[in-house]
Amino acid sequence: MPITSGAGQREAAPAAGLTPRRRVLVLAICCMSLFIVGLDNTIVNIALPSIQRDLHASVSGLQWVIDAYTLVLAGLLMLSGSTGDRVGRRRTFQTGLVLFTLGSLLCSLAPSLGWLVAARALQAVGGSMLNPVAMSIITNTFTEPRERARAIGVWGGVIGISMALGPLVGGALVGSVGWQSIFWINIPVGVAAVVLCALFVPESRAPRPRRVDPVGQALVIVLLTSLTYGIIEAPAAGWTSARTLACFAVSALALCAFVPYELRRAEPLIDLRFFRSVPFSGATVVAVCGFAALAGFLFMNTLYLQTTLGYPALHAGLYTLPMAGLTAVCAPLSGRIVGAAGPRIPLLVAGVAIGASGLMLTGLTAHTPLWQLMSAYMLFGLGFGMLNAPITNTAVSGMPRAQAGVAAAVASTSRQIGQTLGVAVIGSLVTSAVRGPLPSGLPQASHVGWWIVTGCGAAILLLGILTTTSWAGLTAVRTAERLSHVSTRTAGTS
């Protein structure tokens, strides 16, 4: 059966000629790309102390190793999602796999911190073409709502599992081979995914693709880059220095220019009408809070275990096993719950667990007992495992299928913005609070970071209640109707 797009046009469903087995293969290939991107998001954290020693990096340099990736990813996800809709989702997806694999190889060969940061940025250019485009492929392959919900549940589960396994896998590789090896594992998976994609993934495009928005894209990059740079460099330059205040002023001006400009465009980079849906807006904020908590958790925990307690990378990675294990169990369970009963229960559990985990570590010292650390890690794994499926499902549910790439890119962008801000804000506040040498001063300084993690959990809890009310559901229905009507009128006049 043909699909009717949000623009009122019809295209042959990519899944029409696919057998159930072929659709499962498409889902598996998309999840392969998601796995290496998700793994890369967190596996690097466990290698930071080794990178610091080998490349003589400062704490702000370590922040850039993480944020060079997430910042570029956040800045390009919207463009990549619409590009896939325009030039072909499979073609864009394969290009992203090639660039991500090449960037991983260059990261492993980096002779200095500057080269590593540059290679991480190249990785992110490729990574930006994977998540939103793969989600668009899934949305257009699994067209039956219940089947699509299950596929998205698997997708959300892979996100949680891959990101939780990062510290564990990274600890084993760094401890046995060296930090360069954390990038080697992406290469065979990337090559295999390119070949399998060519063989099994059908090409698809939106019937009426969105136009390029270069001004909006430039404003997003300026906004995110200036804000992140100002936050990361503030501890060294001073929070009230001219450089820091100038960065914040530039980011504020970019935001003030971006919103009215996008509202005037017929086909904006980010369709701000999406945010009239309370569930969609809530999912965006939940993604920022949840991934900021994850990024801060991993950044502080890595430095604490390896710098303060002196554990080797493998030992530090094993400490995160409770978190990884619970995330691996809870992520697919969350997808099933969302498919059967909606997003409320997973969101409430995520908010309570993440908030409780951060609260347990607000009094962290160099002598915090093992049972307390393990309990906090387990709670965080439970909360984060429950988080991804409701975010992804809410982001794409009810939106016109022709804009699936853009809608999915908003959710992915929110995740990356959350990670970028988590490392930038928590890392900089903790660094500013350190008194004396980093190993001895870190536990006390990290208290402010753990309070932020606690606040993120509380925000997720409140938004989980608010966005799952009947009133919120009505705003989603009205938004979907408006989007369909506007898209139909636009198609009729084009």
Side-chain angles (χ1 to χ4, degrees):
M1 175 178 290
I3 299 172
T4 302
S5 75
Q9 302 181 27
R10 300 171 77 84
E11 69 173 328
L18 299 185
T19 63
R21 182 178 180 181
R22 179 80 173 272
R23 289 199 293 271
V24 170
L25 280 171
V26 171
L27 177 60
I29 294 165
C30 291
C31 286
M32 285 174 65
S33 72
L34 178 64
F35 185 82
I36 57 175
V37 170
L39 192 71
D40 193 82
N41 271 335
T42 57
I43 196 172
V44 177
N45 281 276
I46 205 71
L48 290 178
S50 296
I51 292 172
Q52 184 179 35
R53 288 192 299 269
D54 287 0
L55 303 183
H56 311 291
S58 62
V59 174
S60 64
L62 297 182
Q63 288 174 276
W64 279 117
V65 171
I66 302 295
D67 274 358
Y69 181 86
T70 57
L71 182 61
V72 173
L73 207 61
L76 295 181
L77 278 170
M78 298 302 304
L79 175 63
S80 297
S82 59
T83 299
D85 289 341
R86 184 183 313 110
V87 306
R89 291 161 184 141
R90 183 178 69 180
R91 180 182 300 175
T92 305
F93 187 66
Q94 287 178 299
T95 302
L97 285 169
V98 170
L99 290 176
F100 185 85
T101 304
L102 176 61
S104 298
L105 175 63
L106 294 177
C107 283
S108 69
L109 300 175
S112 66
L113 181 67
W115 281 104
L116 178 58
V117 170
R120 289 281 286 164
L122 177 61
Q123 256 192 317
V125 174
S128 71
M129 302 179 189
L130 299 181
N131 286 10
V133 178
M135 174 54 67
S136 187
I137 291 172
I138 290 173
T139 303
N140 284 274
T141 299
F142 295 89
T143 57
E144 194 275 319
R146 192 170 184 85
E147 187 181 43
R148 184 168 64 245
R150 288 196 294 266
I152 291 174
V154 173
W155 171 266
V158 172
I159 293 177
I161 293 170
S162 62
M163 297 188 74
L165 286 178
L168 182 61
V169 175
L173 289 173
V174 173
S176 59
V177 182
W179 64 264
Q180 294 86 349
S181 62
I182 64 175
F183 300 106
W184 295 343
I185 61 174
N186 297 330
I187 298 173
V189 178
V191 171
V194 169
V195 175
L196 292 173
C197 182
L199 293 175
F200 298 110
V201 176
E203 184 61 283
S204 65
R205 296 176 178 85
R208 197 183 67 83
R210 298 161 63 83
R211 298 174 183 173
V212 178
D213 181 7
V215 175
Q217 182 66 60
L219 288 172
V220 167
I221 293 173
V222 170
L223 166 61
L224 294 176
T225 302
S226 57
L227 179 62
T228 304
Y229 183 86
I231 293 172
I232 289 179
E233 298 299 328
W239 287 95
T240 58
S241 67
R243 185 173 69 179
T244 302
L245 294 177
C247 287
F248 294 157
V250 169
S251 63
L253 289 173
L255 178 62
C256 291
F258 177 77
V259 173
Y261 177 80
E262 292 295 289
L263 288 172
R264 290 195 302 267
R265 282 185 61 87
E267 293 183 334
L269 177 70
I270 302 176
D271 196 333
L272 299 180
R273 294 171 300 179
F274 284 4
F275 293 95
R276 294 175 181 173
S277 165
V278 172
F280 185 90
S281 299
T284 302
V285 179
V286 165
V288 172
C289 292
F291 279 75
L294 174 70
F297 180 95
L298 293 175
F299 191 81
M300 291 186 293
N301 184 62
T302 296
L303 293 179
Y304 172 73
L305 291 177
Q306 296 190 55
T307 302
T308 298
L309 301 186
Y311 292 146
L314 178 58
H315 197 164
L318 289 174
Y319 261 62
T320 67
L321 186 58
M323 184 188 81
L326 269 172
T327 299
V329 171
C330 293
L333 176 62
S334 175
R336 288 181 175 273
I337 295 173
V338 170
R344 168 169 277 205
I345 293 174
L347 286 175
L348 298 186
V349 172
V352 170
I354 290 174
S357 172
L359 190 61
M360 290 187 67
L361 297 175
T362 53
L364 188 71
T365 70
H367 307 288
T368 296
L370 178 62
W371 69 264
Q372 187 173 338
L373 289 177
M374 292 298 102
S375 298
Y377 295 171
M378 291 174 69
L379 281 170
F380 197 93
L382 168 64
F384 187 71
M386 285 286 173
L387 192 62
N388 276 289
I391 292 173
T392 306
N393 189 72
T394 304
V396 300
S397 295
M399 296 299 168
R401 191 171 295 128
Q403 296 183 9
V406 178
V410 173
S412 295
T413 299
S414 301
R415 290 184 176 97
Q416 300 307 323
I417 290 174
Q419 284 191 269
T420 301
L421 293 178
V423 171
V425 173
I426 293 177
S428 293
L429 289 177
V430 169
T431 301
S432 298
V434 171
R435 298 292 180 266
L438 182 63
S440 59
L442 178 65
Q444 177 68 33
S446 71
H447 293 175
V448 63
W450 294 120
W451 276 114
I452 294 174
V453 172
T454 303
C456 288
I460 293 169
L461 174 63
L462 293 175
L463 287 168
I465 296 171
L466 176 65
T467 60
T468 53
T469 61
S470 57
W471 163 76
L474 286 174
T475 66
V477 172
R478 294 193 192 104
T479 300
E481 290 175 350
R482 290 192 191 102
L483 289 170
S484 296
H485 293 158
V486 172
S487 297
T488 301
R489 289 199 303 270
T490 303
T493 57
S494 61

